[in-house]
Amino acid sequence: MPKIAFNKLYLTGREEKYISDALAKGSVSGDGYYTKKVSSFLEKTFNLNKVLMTTSGTHALEMASFLVGFEEGAEVIMPSFTFSSTANAVLKAGAKPVFAEIKANTFNLDPLDFENKITAKTKAVIPVHYGGISCEMQQIKKIARANNIYIIEDAAQAVNSFYQKKALGGIGDLGCYSFHGTKNFVSGEGGALIINSEDQSLIKKAEIMREKGTNRSQFLRGEIEKYNWVQAGSSYLPSDILMAFLLAQLEEIETITARREKIFHYYSQELRKFLEEDFLDAIPELPAAKKSNYHIYYLKFKNQRIRDFVLQELNLAGIKATFHFQPLHSSPMGKKLGYQKSDLPITEAAASSILRLPIYPDLSFSNLKYIIKSLKKIFKELKLVGG
């Protein structure tokens, strides 16, 4: 019986070479040679206005929240079906997270519930592109503009995903990427803040915030004679060693994506027919306007009991499958903010019934066939007992 990991680090073969080169250059702190190379790569590849590399996707979200500038009592609408970083960034910047429902077929923010949650205090919305599949950005953007609301895209899972041929992270006012070890393209820890506004004062403010509140970036460019502390900030710059690793990954972005795509479509080809059964509710769907990076492959079952049974059986078969986000609104912190489990029933139903399958570039075809064979065996048992 094989032991199949849920996720495995994929190495392109150039990571060590670039790290050694970074060490040889003698400068491994922030905004070094490789950091600049990565920023330029992302800007050119995805046609992004300005990319600032950060120490994590979490820090990119924090920077975006501080840049918007939330006054006391401000509210920010977001899905509850996301990682805690989305809400923590807002809280850290002094605003209140307002949790809205997701769409049952995508697990992305429901534009209608976003609109329903808008009040006079609403300052921003954070659409989270779940699994690398875009939110309904045209609708969200229309609602946000009509209500003078900032859009901060949480594109942590969506590097190399697109909506209407526009790179995710590059549609809202600000965007945030993650290069955490669990993502498609990794640096271990790392992220990026995308500034889509052409307002140069906003870019300048972000650079200063990222450089511990100093105007050091201007000094390094020769624009000023010395640098000083000019505003509040923090240390958001990643080491050039991490960016050397990331560049090696990004140079293989199409190869990595193509390998994931092949696995994604094989799963769908083999599993779509089970949607006719009374135990399986949904698999990922890709509308024509949305190009995915194939970050996640999930199965949504009719209820938690079935999901937990399938998860248990897969693990017994040596296949490491897993569930995903626990809703923020019904977490201990969410309850402190005044939410109850019953507030978002679609979110709760999704969180309790979703199961994620292994998907990574080095997943062999023999292991992939074994996963499908194991699922079919489990599904046969479910059919025999009526789900």
Side-chain angles (χ1 to χ4, degrees):
M1 182 176 70
K3 292 287 185 183
I4 303 174
F6 174 70
N7 187 44
K8 283 178 69 176
L9 175 64
Y10 174 78
L11 296 175
T12 69
R14 288 193 293 275
E15 287 85 357
E16 288 188 26
K17 176 185 174 183
Y18 289 174
I19 288 171
S20 295
D21 184 57
L23 293 172
K25 290 183 188 304
S27 177
V28 296
S29 54
D31 276 347
Y33 173 82
Y34 283 98
T35 307
K36 291 183 175 72
K37 292 275 283 186
V38 168
S39 298
S40 177
F41 180 96
L42 293 170
E43 288 170 358
K44 291 176 181 177
T45 303
F46 300 131
N47 193 28
L48 301 171
N49 180 52
K50 182 67 176 179
V51 172
L52 295 173
M53 305 311 297
T54 62
T55 34
S56 66
T58 299
H59 280 166
L61 285 162
E62 285 182 12
M63 284 188 68
S65 296
F66 284 124
L67 283 172
V68 169
F70 300 128
E71 65 273 8
E72 187 176 351
E75 296 177 347
V76 179
I77 299 171
M78 66 184 69
S80 168
F81 194 62
T82 183
F83 194 56
S84 57
S85 295
T86 315
N88 277 335
V90 167
L91 286 170
K92 198 164 186 178
K96 177 187 176 183
V98 173
F99 298 117
E101 269 291 18
I102 54 174
K103 299 187 72 173
N105 62 333
T106 63
F107 311 137
N108 281 333
L109 180 68
D110 182 346
L112 296 179
D113 201 43
F114 156 46
E115 189 169 26
N116 289 337
K117 293 288 196 309
I118 293 172
T119 70
K121 296 179 180 179
T122 305
K123 183 80 171 183
V125 61
I126 306 182
V128 179
H129 303 298
Y130 182 75
I133 299 177
S134 174
C135 294
E136 303 301 327
M137 290 306 295
Q138 186 174 9
Q139 201 173 350
I140 289 170
K141 199 167 183 178
K142 183 179 179 181
I143 295 166
R145 294 294 173 257
N147 291 276
N148 197 28
I149 293 169
Y150 285 95
I151 300 173
I152 301 171
E153 286 180 82
D154 185 336
Q157 299 178 0
V159 180
N160 203 31
S161 290
F162 298 82
Y163 175 76
Q164 297 179 345
K165 298 184 178 181
K166 180 70 175 173
L168 299 189
I171 300 171
D173 299 289
L174 299 157
C176 304
Y177 285 160
S178 172
F179 300 102
H180 184 267
T182 58
K183 301 302 188 289
N184 294 23
F185 322 104
V186 308
S187 57
E189 296 286 352
L193 172 68
I194 303 140
I195 302 174
N196 299 311
S197 168
E198 294 187 8
D199 181 355
Q200 291 302 307
S201 66
L202 191 65
I203 294 172
K204 181 180 175 182
K205 183 179 178 183
E207 286 184 336
I208 292 170
M209 182 187 300
R210 182 169 163 269
E211 276 277 17
K212 308 163 192 72
T214 73
N215 51 3
R216 183 171 178 268
S217 293
Q218 291 171 273
F219 169 72
L220 293 175
R221 289 195 295 265
E223 296 170 4
I224 54 177
E225 292 184 2
K226 56 185 177 180
Y227 66 90
N228 279 294
W229 180 32
V230 295
Q231 69 176 51
S234 190
S235 183
Y236 291 121
L237 283 76
S239 164
D240 219 42
I241 294 175
L242 296 179
M243 295 298 98
F245 192 107
L246 181 57
L247 181 64
Q249 295 267 306
L250 292 175
E251 287 178 343
E252 297 293 327
I253 194 167
E254 295 307 326
T255 299
I256 292 170
T257 302
R259 290 191 180 193
R260 299 181 76 100
E261 179 182 13
K262 193 172 182 179
I263 296 165
F264 185 101
H265 286 308
Y266 183 76
Y267 276 140
S268 290
Q269 171 191 310
E270 295 294 322
L271 299 174
R272 178 169 280 111
K273 59 189 174 186
F274 292 101
L275 290 171
E276 299 171 6
E277 305 295 340
D278 61 1
F279 52 80
L280 185 62
D281 205 27
I283 60 175
E285 298 294 345
L286 300 176
K290 302 177 181 181
K291 181 181 180 296
S292 178
N293 66 357
Y294 310 99
H295 178 58
I296 287 173
Y297 196 91
Y298 63 79
L299 302 174
K300 183 180 182 296
F301 293 97
K302 293 292 182 180
N303 56 54
Q304 184 173 351
R305 179 183 60 80
I306 297 172
R307 190 277 306 273
D308 289 350
F309 173 76
V310 176
L311 180 59
Q312 173 187 288
E313 293 300 305
L314 284 174
N315 287 334
L316 288 172
I319 301 163
K320 186 60 178 176
T322 188
F323 46 83
H324 208 187
F325 299 131
Q326 300 304 292
L328 298 185
H329 77 279
S330 56
S331 68
M333 188 63 187
K335 290 174 182 176
K336 288 180 182 178
L337 293 171
Y339 287 91
Q340 302 175 54
K341 190 173 183 178
S342 58
D343 289 339
L344 300 172
I346 297 173
T347 298
E348 287 291 339
S352 65
S353 59
I354 191 173
L355 180 150
R356 293 183 294 155
L357 297 175
I359 181 168
Y360 44 89
D362 283 336
L363 182 61
S364 69
F365 187 57
S366 60
N367 279 347
L368 193 55
K369 286 197 295 183
Y370 177 74
I371 294 169
I372 293 297
K373 181 181 177 181
S374 300
L375 279 169
K376 288 179 177 178
K377 181 182 177 183
I378 296 165
F379 290 170
K380 186 176 180 180
E381 291 180 45
L382 286 170
K383 286 173 72 174
L384 288 172
V385 297

